[in-house]
Amino acid sequence: MEQSMELKSKRDTKCIPHLSQYAPVWIVDETYILEDDAMLFTAVFQHPEYGWVGRRYRYDGFNDVLYHKGQTLVKEGNLNSIQEQSPYVETSVADIPNSYGG
């Protein structure tokens, strides 16, 4: 439990500055791979070019590296249940058009 909390804290330090440009952002799943000191997760946000996407990431805690593993479009029917939860990265005003689009 302590190892997963430490890994999550390291992931947050790396991810929040990157994902804040897309805020609000929700994490819809997390899978810990403790033997590799890594975790997989999917971030859902509104992309300036593609609309609502679920972007898959792998965070390598040993090397402190965030890997982008691809993205899929999120169906509008799934957005309501996602947005009912508290966002991982919050914002008072979304600035989607000015995110860099990567």
Side-chain angles (χ1 to χ4, degrees):
M1 182 70 166
E2 184 176 319
Q3 184 182 4
S4 62
M5 293 302 291
E6 182 179 331
L7 185 60
K8 187 173 182 175
S9 176
K10 288 170 57 177
R11 187 266 324 251
D12 291 348
T13 301
K14 190 69 152 184
C15 289
I16 290 176
H18 167 67
L19 292 174
S20 64
Q21 67 180 318
Y22 300 116
V25 178
W26 289 264
I27 299 292
V28 294
D29 66 40
E30 294 177 324
T31 304
Y32 294 91
I33 310 165
L34 297 179
E35 59 273 3
D36 291 343
D37 197 28
M39 67 186 309
L40 296 170
F41 64 95
T42 302
V44 174
F45 56 87
Q46 188 175 11
H47 191 277
E49 295 178 29
Y50 308 119
W52 286 95
V53 297
R55 187 174 282 179
R56 192 90 168 133
Y57 290 96
R58 177 184 170 109
Y59 174 70
D60 178 350
F62 181 77
N63 294 307
D64 192 32
V65 177
L66 182 65
Y67 297 98
H68 175 234
K69 305 296 280 181
Q71 72 183 23
T72 58
L73 296 178
V74 176
K75 296 178 182 175
E76 284 191 39
N78 296 341
L79 287 175
N80 287 339
S81 63
I82 292 169
Q83 292 175 335
E84 288 175 356
Q85 301 171 24
S86 296
Y88 170 67
V89 180
E90 296 187 59
T91 186
S92 56
V93 177
D95 194 16
I96 308 305
N98 291 323
S99 62
Y100 80 90

